């Protein structure tokens, strides 16, 4: 032992070069230059220092703060260093600002003054600043950006509001350019008044007023829609009659009879001019405008499009989706009556009218003769369905082949389905769906995967792959709702590889949350690299705008936000398949993402989600309305048949009936069912720990505040939950509290020690950023490692996970549950510590599933260190004991398909249980 001790003592005396951080204030922000002493090369992130280097760095806290900012993409690369721009200062957490020695924001007393007369060559604004007893510090202090240093060395930041105003004032145009200077003065005066910054007498007397907002009046009269730009002003100084006059004439300048002068910002005037040139919207353009008003407007930053879209809705013009259907109803055993037609459906799936095939043919032919894609009907509009001509042709063939559609034998139904097999999104009812089960195409039901796939599927994944092939063959969509960790992505990639092999891939659209874009690319690279040669990520300012170019790619992937923004581009492409990942994004049928995705032209649709219902059963209806329109009827029918029955029937009964209804296009498998004998065992371990003395004292203080009604109950719950983790989370004075005085932290370190002895890895989850830092410091001191932290949603989090997975032996990764909830596979760890509990058990399960998923070969251990009240200071136990009890009861509920938000409102339950 003495020899080992001497070895470490000697090792720690090795002189490690210090990392020097030079900080320089520039006009754009703080620049940081990082290099090792006695070396000329500059260092770049990630530094990946050894623990010995970390321990001997005098400025390790600053280094870690900068590296964290780099991970969160706050830092920009500059010449040989990194820039933290001043605009980012105002977004930094207090802890980071303190480490970077960025001073606090203060409120200055500002006055707007000037020199020279407006319109003369020497005119300019002067922003006078006072701070406490310091007068006119603009003349006596040093200022770089918002950073001000007084003559006595005192430093502070201008608050964001004042700094933005100063930046505006400093953008003064050439004072001799009257076309520029007068509007600029009007704008500055207006902004000063909005921000309560006083003007000197001269500026106050200048009757310059500034128009800074734009709106659009939308009117619908005599079968045409008219758009009229309308000027507005935020502080309502300008009379409505003046605004109306200027709007009607799209004037940039106006002077009234008493000498007041009105100016419009250049941007607003330019946009108003563009809007005024939009001709009245008539005929077939009306439904196109109602469906996508953005496409008719020029690029604008001045108009809130969500408000404008609501105003368009208020015109009362309805645009219905024309949903072709083929229904078979059994008359007597083995005999069917066939009904073919078209339904006018609103955005909620509500049927407004049903047309027979003959009526439909008349309407569509009339529209086709006029070269139109919408049918005008009862003052509203009906969009002609995709492949309407093919549908009419198929219906004609059915009518020719079967004179008596009221007396069809069962054996005729497969042939009818074959006639319609090339029609996309056709609504079939239950008898026809049953018949489709019997259809067997060449190779479609074969389980063999394409040779391009570099993955060995598990049996249930092969089943999912074949299921998708069958759906694709039958022109039906599908909802893949497998549990987290069962490999939904690899099943879909296998299917895409099949499309590639059979020359049916191009073009495919994948829509996913921003955080999963890189994950898709990585999974394709891992399992189907041959598809990457025709893989395009549609994002960023340089993204393609030409649909003819985009549709040449095999796979295009984009985010929901970008899809909405570029809906006109994507809507011009006939997609072979549209894949919706994390389909909770379309759980609300009235959102833009939901409407746009459902409007995409596609032969086949797949939705992927591990949580098809989060807050209410109507979410499942909306996702199914994308997958297979009409299967669940309209939203009101769905409510009547299923949602309303939750009040009187058991959830299990409703769930079974619902799943039976959608079973043909819905696939959900759970880990316990599919991997019960394939995944290693999962062990849940609860560790009760006592409160430390300081925790107990602060705990009683918070309870006392509640009893005396000095803080409300929910605030108290949050404080007690944070306090249970560490006293420093509610009082920074305890940041340096010895670990021994926080039993929960001590117990966690003991767990980590046991894991280290096994040479295994552990994830620690806590939502508190400050607690993450405390844990990292404690682990670094005790174990000579430097654990990474994932608490943001940047693209670089995958790099952290890859580094962690690639290391051999013991390691620790600290994560926020929400930041790590999707898209991460961390099966190199087999221990999970939930240092603080998340209110929703489904979210907590998703965090655990980063470890407990396919690819995990070791037994998994999930630890819950719970602060208990062994002295019984509180009658109901600690907040953590109550949360643990309620979460344990909710675990089974969280895995159900039907889970109502009311039953998952755990925070409210804790509040009612603890403080009532």
């Amino acid at each position: 032992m003495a020899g080992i001790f001497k070895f470490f003592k000697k090792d720690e005396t090795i002189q490690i070069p210090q990392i020097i951080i030079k900080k320089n204030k520039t006009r754009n922000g703080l620049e940081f230059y990082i290099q090792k002493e006695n070396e000329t090369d500059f260092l770049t992130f990630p530094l990946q220092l050894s623990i010995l280097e970390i321990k001997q760095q005098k400025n390790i806290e600053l280094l870690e703060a900068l590296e964290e900012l780099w991970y969160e993409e706050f830092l920009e690369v500059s010449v040989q260093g990194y820039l933290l721009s001043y605009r980012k200062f105002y977004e930094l957490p207090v802890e980071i600002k303190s480490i970077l020695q960025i001073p606090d924001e203060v409120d200055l007393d500002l006055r707007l003054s000037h020199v020279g007369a407006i319109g003369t060559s020497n005119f300019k604004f002067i922003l006078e600043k006072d701070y406490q007893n310091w007068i006119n510090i603009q003349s006596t202090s040093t200022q770089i950006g918002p950073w001000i240093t007084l003559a006595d060395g005192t430093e502070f930041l201008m608050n964001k509001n004042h700094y933005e105003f100063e930046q505006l004032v400093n953008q003064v145009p050439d004072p001799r350019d009257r076309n520029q200077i007068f509007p600029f003065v009007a704008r500055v005066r207006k902004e000063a008044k909005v921000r309560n910054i006083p003007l000197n007498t001269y500026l106050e007397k200048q009757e310059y007023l500034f128009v800074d907002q734009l709106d659009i009046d939308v009117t619908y009269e005599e079968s045409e829609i008219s758009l009229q730009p309308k000027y507005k002003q935020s502080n309502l100084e300008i009379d409505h009659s003046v605004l109306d006059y200027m709007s009607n004439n799209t004037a940039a300048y106006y002077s009234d009879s008493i000498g007041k002068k009105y100016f419009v910002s250049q941007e607003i005037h330019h946009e108003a001019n563009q809007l005024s040139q939009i001709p009245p919207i008539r005929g077939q353009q009306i439904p196109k405008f109602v469906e996508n008003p953005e496409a008719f407007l020029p690029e604008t930053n001045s108009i809130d499009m969500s408000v404008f879209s609501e105003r368009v809705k208020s015109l009362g013009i309805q645009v219905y989706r024309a949903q072709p259907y083929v229904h078979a109803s059994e008359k007597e055993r083995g005999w069917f009556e066939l009904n073919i037609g078209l339904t006018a459906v609103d955005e909620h799936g509500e049927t407004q009218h049903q047309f027979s095939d003959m009526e439909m043919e008349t309407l569509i032919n009339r529209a086709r003769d006029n070269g139109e894609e919408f049918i005008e009907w009862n003052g509203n509009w009906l969009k002609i369905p995709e492949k309407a001509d093919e549908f009419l042709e198929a219906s004609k063939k059915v009518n020719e082949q079967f004179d008596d559609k009221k007396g069809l034998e069962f054996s005729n139904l497969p042939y009818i389905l074959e006639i319609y097999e090339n029609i996309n999104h056709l609504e079939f009812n239950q008898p026809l769906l049953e018949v489709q089960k019997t259809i067997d195409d060449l190779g479609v039901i074969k389980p063999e995967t394409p040779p391009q796939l570099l993955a060995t599927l598990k049996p249930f994944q092969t089943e999912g792959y074949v299921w998708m092939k069958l759906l694709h063959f039958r022109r039906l969509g599908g909802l893949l709702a497998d549990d987290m960790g069962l490999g939904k992505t690899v099943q879909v990639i296998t299917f895409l590889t099949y499309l590639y092999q059979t020359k049916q891939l191009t073009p495919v659209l994948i829509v996913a949350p921003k955080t999963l874009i890189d994950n898709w690319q990585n999974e394709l690279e891992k399992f189907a690299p041959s598809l990457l040669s025709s893989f395009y990520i549609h994002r960023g300012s340089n993204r393609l705008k030409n649909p003819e170019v985009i549709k040449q790619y095999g796979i295009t992937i984009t985010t929901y936000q970008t899809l909405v923004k570029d809906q006109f581009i994507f809507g011009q492409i006939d997609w072979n398949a549209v894949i919706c990942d994390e389909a909770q994004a379309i759980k609300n049928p009235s959102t833009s993402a939901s409407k746009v995705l459902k409007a995409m032209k596609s032969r086949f649709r797949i939705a992927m989600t591990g949580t098809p219902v989060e807050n209410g059963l109507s979410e499942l209806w909306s996702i199914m309305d994308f997958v297979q329109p009409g299967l669940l009827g309209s939203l009101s029918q769905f409510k009547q048949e299923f949602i309303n029955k939750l009040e009187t029937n058991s959830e299990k009964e409703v769930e079974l009936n619902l799943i039976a209804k959608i079973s043909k296009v819905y696939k959900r498998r759970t880990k316990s069912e599919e991997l019960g004998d394939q995944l290693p065992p999962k062990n849940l371990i609860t560790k009760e720990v006592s409160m430390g003395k300081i925790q107990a004292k602060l705990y009683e203080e918070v309870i006392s505040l509640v009893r005396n009604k000095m803080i409300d109950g929910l605030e108290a719950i949050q404080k007690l939950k944070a306090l249970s983790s560490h006293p420093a989370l509610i009082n920074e004075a305890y940041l340096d509290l010895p670990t021994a005085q926080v039993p929960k932290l001590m117990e966690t370190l003991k767990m980590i020690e046991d894991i280290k002895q096994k040479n295994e890895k552990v994830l620690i989850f806590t939502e508190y950023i400050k607690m993450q830092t405390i844990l990292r410091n404690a682990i670094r001191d005790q174990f000579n490692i430097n654990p990474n932290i994932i608490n943001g949603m940047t693209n670089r989090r995958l790099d952290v996970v890859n580094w962690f997975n690639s290391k051999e032996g013991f390691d620790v990764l600290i994560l926020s549950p929400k930041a790590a909830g999707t898209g991460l596979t961390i099966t190199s760890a087999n221990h999970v510590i939930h240092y603080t509990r998340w209110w929703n058990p489904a979210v907590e399960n998703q965090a655990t599933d980063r470890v407990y998923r396919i690819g995990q070969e070791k037994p998994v251990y999930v630890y819950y260190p719970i602060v208990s009240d062994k002295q019984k200071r509180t009658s109901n136990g600690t907040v953590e004991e109550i949360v643990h009890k309620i979460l344990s009861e909710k675990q089974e509920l969280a895995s159900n398909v039907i889970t109502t938000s009311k039953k998952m409102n755990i925070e409210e339950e804790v509040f009612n249980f603890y403080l009532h």
Side-chain angles (χ1 to χ4, degrees):
M1 288 297 291
I4 294 173
F5 177 76
K6 284 179 183 177
F7 171 78
F8 275 102
K9 189 142 185 143
K10 180 181 178 183
D11 189 50
E12 290 187 357
T13 62
I14 296 173
Q15 288 303 306
I16 299 294
Q18 288 294 304
I19 295 178
I20 309 300
I21 303 173
K22 296 177 183 177
K23 183 170 67 175
N24 183 33
K25 289 194 287 270
T26 71
R27 63 193 182 102
N28 296 319
L30 271 182
E31 284 197 334
F32 296 91
Y33 306 98
I34 308 167
Q35 59 189 142
K36 287 186 178 180
E37 60 182 349
N38 303 322
E39 293 185 14
T40 57
D41 292 340
F42 288 89
L43 301 178
T44 58
F45 293 121
L47 296 179
Q48 295 181 288
L49 302 176
S50 70
I51 193 63
L52 191 58
E53 288 176 302
I54 289 169
K55 285 195 168 185
Q56 291 202 22
Q57 296 305 316
K58 295 174 183 175
N59 54 8
I60 187 60
E61 192 176 40
L62 176 57
L63 269 176
E64 287 177 338
L66 290 174
E67 190 162 51
E68 185 176 333
L69 290 176
W70 177 79
Y71 277 119
E72 298 301 322
E73 298 182 343
F74 271 64
L75 295 183
E76 304 166 26
V77 176
S78 64
V79 180
Q80 297 182 318
Y82 294 96
L83 174 73
L84 178 64
S85 68
Y86 289 124
R87 70 179 184 277
K88 293 287 190 182
F89 278 21
Y90 300 101
E91 302 172 33
L92 294 174
V94 174
E95 301 93 334
I96 298 293
K97 286 172 76 173
S98 174
I99 293 169
L100 300 183
Q101 296 181 325
I102 295 173
D104 294 332
E105 295 175 48
V106 301
D107 295 331
L108 301 176
D109 293 320
L110 302 184
R111 296 175 304 281
L112 189 62
S113 184
H114 77 292
V115 293
I118 299 171
T120 64
S121 61
N122 63 337
F123 171 79
K124 70 175 181 178
F125 284 114
I126 296 174
L127 188 58
E128 297 176 348
K129 306 169 191 155
D130 298 343
Y131 175 63
Q132 296 179 356
N133 296 326
W134 296 77
I135 308 299
N136 287 328
I137 61 172
Q138 76 279 357
S139 303
T140 61
S141 64
T142 303
Q143 180 174 349
I144 304 177
W147 194 314
I148 296 176
T149 306
L150 299 179
D152 67 353
T154 302
E155 294 185 316
F156 52 79
L157 293 183
M158 295 177 70
N159 70 39
K160 186 179 181 182
N161 183 34
H162 288 170
Y163 180 55
E164 286 175 349
F165 180 70
E166 184 175 52
Q167 287 180 302
L168 169 64
V169 170
N170 290 339
Q171 291 169 10
V172 60
D174 185 343
R176 295 166 297 183
D177 185 345
R178 289 176 171 247
N179 291 330
Q180 296 278 342
I181 194 64
F182 287 116
F184 180 73
V185 171
R187 182 183 177 191
V188 170
R189 286 181 75 258
K190 175 258 170 184
E191 289 293 336
K193 292 190 174 186
V194 168
R195 300 165 197 261
N196 296 315
I197 297 171
L199 311 176
N200 69 7
T201 306
Y202 173 81
L203 294 175
E204 188 68 56
K205 285 181 178 178
Q206 303 305 308
E207 293 293 326
Y208 298 132
L209 297 170
F210 189 68
V211 177
D212 64 339
Q213 292 186 4
L214 185 64
D215 202 355
I216 309 176
D217 270 357
V218 189
T219 55
Y220 181 48
E221 294 176 355
E222 299 180 359
S223 298
E224 74 174 31
I225 297 173
S226 299
L227 305 179
Q228 173 66 40
K230 300 296 289 185
Y231 291 141
K232 293 171 63 179
Q233 194 199 30
S234 54
N235 58 355
L236 305 178
E237 281 186 327
I238 303 177
D239 188 87
H240 281 295
S241 61
V242 173
L243 287 170
D244 288 343
Y245 173 83
M246 297 180 73
S247 299
N248 293 335
N249 295 278
T250 57
Y253 167 74
Y254 175 73
S255 177
D256 65 16
S257 58
I258 59 173
K260 285 187 177 180
K261 297 177 178 63
Y262 306 87
F263 298 92
V264 181
S265 80
Q266 283 186 324
E267 181 182 13
I268 296 291
H269 182 243
H270 174 69
E271 291 183 1
N273 266 325
Q274 287 184 304
L275 289 170
S276 67
Q277 293 167 22
I278 298 174
I281 298 163
R282 303 185 182 98
Q284 291 283 305
Q285 295 299 306
I286 290 175
K288 292 179 182 178
F289 175 75
V290 172
E291 283 202 319
N292 184 14
E294 247 179 43
F296 286 74
L297 303 182
E299 289 284 339
T300 175
N301 297 316
S302 309
I303 297 166
D304 185 336
M305 289 309 303
S306 61
V307 174
F308 180 65
S309 296
E310 289 301 316
R311 195 169 300 147
V312 172
K313 280 185 187 177
S314 70
L315 296 175
I317 305 168
Q318 296 293 329
V319 181
Y320 299 113
R321 182 178 81 225
Q323 177 64 59
Y325 65 85
V326 178
H327 290 172
S329 53
E330 192 168 10
K331 295 179 64 180
E332 51 188 273
R333 189 170 184 83
W335 292 88
F336 287 84
E337 178 178 344
L338 197 65
N339 294 298
I340 305 170
L342 181 148
T343 303
V345 180
D346 65 17
E347 67 180 21
H348 299 296
E350 198 75 49
T351 298
Q352 300 300 319
H353 189 77
Q354 211 162 37
F355 302 93
S356 70
D357 52 350
M358 300 300 292
E359 291 173 314
M360 176 189 64
E361 184 173 9
T362 302
L363 287 172
I364 291 176
N365 285 339
R366 187 188 306 155
R368 285 278 190 254
D369 290 342
N370 296 323
E372 296 168 348
E373 58 180 293
F374 289 89
I375 300 165
E376 191 168 6
W377 169 66
N378 287 351
N380 293 302
W381 298 87
L382 186 66
K383 187 169 186 178
I384 297 175
E386 185 186 346
K387 294 199 174 181
D389 296 332
E390 290 91 333
F391 179 65
L392 291 176
E393 191 60 37
S395 299
K396 195 177 292 184
K397 188 174 181 180
V398 169
N399 289 327
E400 290 171 356
Q401 295 288 330
F402 303 99
D403 294 332
D404 183 12
K405 290 190 290 184
K406 294 185 177 180
L408 291 173
E409 290 185 16
F410 178 86
S411 59
N412 290 322
L413 296 185
Y415 177 62
I416 289 167
L417 289 169
E418 284 182 31
I419 292 175
Y420 286 105
E421 72 173 345
N422 290 316
I423 314 301
N424 300 341
H425 312 312
L426 187 60
E427 181 186 308
F428 296 126
N429 66 342
Q430 198 67 24
L432 285 165
L433 289 175
E434 293 288 349
V435 171
Q436 291 222 31
K437 284 183 67 177
T438 65
I439 296 174
D440 177 15
D441 187 41
L442 292 174
V444 172
I445 61 171
K446 290 182 179 178
E448 288 79 16
T449 58
Q452 295 89 348
L453 187 78
L454 306 182
T456 302
L457 300 187
K458 292 187 176 293
F460 72 90
Q461 292 174 327
T462 300
E463 179 194 325
Y465 159 60
V466 171
W467 171 75
M468 278 183 269
K469 287 199 294 178
L470 280 167
L471 289 177
H472 178 260
F473 172 73
R474 295 166 180 167
R475 304 301 193 271
L476 295 173
L479 171 55
L480 183 60
D482 286 348
D483 253 356
M484 284 276 189
L486 288 184
K488 291 187 288 294
T489 304
V490 75
Q491 291 175 65
V492 172
I493 288 175
T494 306
F495 171 69
L496 293 176
T497 310
Y498 159 77
L499 292 183
Y500 174 78
Q501 182 191 30
T502 55
K503 297 181 171 48
Q504 302 178 81
L505 179 69
T506 308
V508 163
L509 176 65
I510 300 173
V511 187
K514 176 185 175 184
T515 52
L516 294 188
I517 298 289
D518 289 340
N519 187 65
W520 270 96
Q521 185 173 10
N522 290 344
E523 295 288 277
L524 283 167
E525 190 172 339
K526 180 178 178 182
F527 297 122
S530 57
L531 302 188
L532 285 176
S533 60
S534 189
F535 177 70
Y536 162 57
I537 300 177
H538 184 82
R539 66 180 173 192
S541 57
N542 295 322
R543 62 186 185 273
L544 297 173
K545 299 291 186 180
N546 187 341
E548 292 300 318
V549 176
I550 294 174
K551 72 181 184 182
Q552 301 306 316
Y553 283 93
I555 301 171
T556 295
I557 188 166
T558 192
T559 66
Y560 289 97
Q561 293 84 352
T562 307
L563 175 73
V564 171
K565 197 172 290 184
D566 291 350
Q567 58 184 281
F568 181 70
I569 298 168
F570 286 114
Q572 296 180 64
I573 299 172
D574 292 320
W575 300 99
N576 274 335
V578 173
I579 297 163
C580 170
D581 195 5
E582 294 298 334
Q584 308 93 295
I586 59 167
K587 64 187 179 183
N588 183 341
S590 64
T591 61
S592 296
S594 184
K595 289 179 182 178
V596 171
L597 201 60
K598 291 174 184 181
M600 289 295 107
K601 294 183 288 185
S602 60
R603 180 184 185 277
F604 179 64
R605 295 175 175 182
I606 280 286
M608 304 161 62
T609 174
T611 50
V613 177
E614 290 184 318
N615 299 307
L617 210 50
S618 61
E619 296 175 356
L620 180 62
W621 178 89
S622 184
I623 296 172
M624 291 302 302
D625 190 46
F626 161 75
V627 167
Q628 191 60 43
L631 182 60
L632 292 177
S634 69
L635 184 55
S636 63
Q637 290 169 332
F638 180 73
K639 286 178 179 176
Q640 188 174 351
E641 187 174 357
F642 296 104
I643 297 177
N644 295 345
K645 289 184 179 177
L646 286 172
E647 302 294 328
T648 54
N649 299 37
S650 72
E651 282 188 359
K652 201 65 186 171
E653 181 184 347
V654 174
E655 182 173 342
L656 289 172
N657 291 338
L658 175 56
I659 290 175
K661 181 102 174 177
I662 64 177
S663 60
K664 307 298 181 299
V665 296
Y666 173 81
K667 189 164 288 291
R668 177 174 176 81
R669 283 78 61 91
T670 65
K671 282 203 288 290
S672 59
E673 293 167 344
E674 299 301 334
L675 300 179
D677 58 347
Q678 299 174 50
L679 276 181
K682 180 170 70 172
N683 306 281
L684 307 181
I685 302 165
T686 302
K687 295 272 190 178
E688 287 194 2
V689 296
S690 60
M691 285 189 195
K693 289 182 180 178
I694 291 172
Q695 279 175 300
K697 174 177 171 291
L698 293 174
Y699 206 94
E700 289 174 0
E701 286 178 7
V702 174
I703 297 295
S704 176
L705 289 172
V706 176
R707 286 174 183 150
N708 294 321
K709 299 186 176 177
M710 297 176 72
I711 61 173
D712 66 47
L714 287 176
E715 182 185 354
I717 292 292
Q718 294 291 356
K719 282 185 177 292
L720 293 174
K721 185 166 177 270
L723 175 60
S724 298
S725 289
H726 198 285
L729 300 191
I730 66 169
N731 187 336
E732 288 196 357
Y734 297 108
L735 267 175
D736 295 326
L737 193 67
T739 303
Q741 294 188 37
V742 187
K744 182 172 184 173
L745 182 56
M746 277 289 290
E747 181 61 38
T748 299
L749 293 175
K750 286 180 185 175
M751 294 177 195
I752 298 172
E753 178 61 46
D754 292 340
I755 294 165
K756 182 185 178 184
Q757 295 304 315
K758 297 176 183 177
N759 202 30
E760 294 176 341
K761 293 179 183 175
V762 58
L763 309 186
I764 307 177
F765 288 97
T766 175
E767 76 229 54
Y768 300 115
I769 290 177
K770 196 176 294 182
M771 192 66 231
Q772 293 166 4
T773 303
I774 292 170
L775 281 163
R776 178 173 63 186
N777 293 343
I779 292 166
R780 185 162 59 208
D781 289 344
Q782 181 161 332
F783 299 103
N784 280 342
I785 63 170
N786 191 43
N788 274 311
I789 297 174
I790 294 180
N791 55 24
M793 299 297 284
T794 74
N795 296 330
R796 294 195 179 110
R797 67 183 191 149
L798 277 174
D799 295 334
V800 175
V801 170
N802 291 337
W803 294 331
F804 182 80
N805 282 334
S806 65
K807 291 179 185 175
E808 295 293 331
F810 169 68
D811 205 353
V812 181
L813 184 61
I814 303 167
L815 310 97
S816 161
K818 286 297 282 184
T822 56
L824 297 181
T825 298
I826 321 180
T827 48
S828 65
N830 64 312
H831 298 265
V832 176
I833 299 174
H834 288 285
Y835 190 85
T836 53
R837 306 298 301 275
W838 193 262
W839 294 114
N840 188 325
V843 172
E844 198 170 79
N845 289 343
Q846 288 173 8
T848 301
D849 286 347
R850 300 310 98 213
V851 163
Y852 192 63
R853 59 197 297 121
I854 293 173
Q856 182 57 260
E857 298 176 351
K858 297 179 181 178
V860 170
Y861 300 88
V862 184
Y863 308 88
Y864 303 99
I866 305 297
V867 171
S868 65
D869 183 16
K870 296 183 177 178
Q871 280 73 39
K872 301 299 178 188
R873 297 180 181 88
T874 57
S875 58
N876 294 324
T878 67
V879 163
E880 286 208 328
E881 287 177 295
I882 296 162
V883 169
H884 181 67
K885 179 177 182 293
I886 294 173
L887 286 176
S888 299
E889 293 169 354
K890 301 288 185 185
Q891 281 297 332
E892 183 177 351
L893 187 63
S895 64
N896 289 350
V897 173
I898 298 175
T899 303
T900 60
S901 57
K902 186 176 179 183
K903 294 192 176 182
M904 298 301 287
N905 193 343
I906 292 167
E907 189 170 4
E908 177 128 358
E909 282 195 46
V910 174
F911 171 70
N912 292 331
F913 190 87
Y914 198 71
L915 295 170
H916 282 190

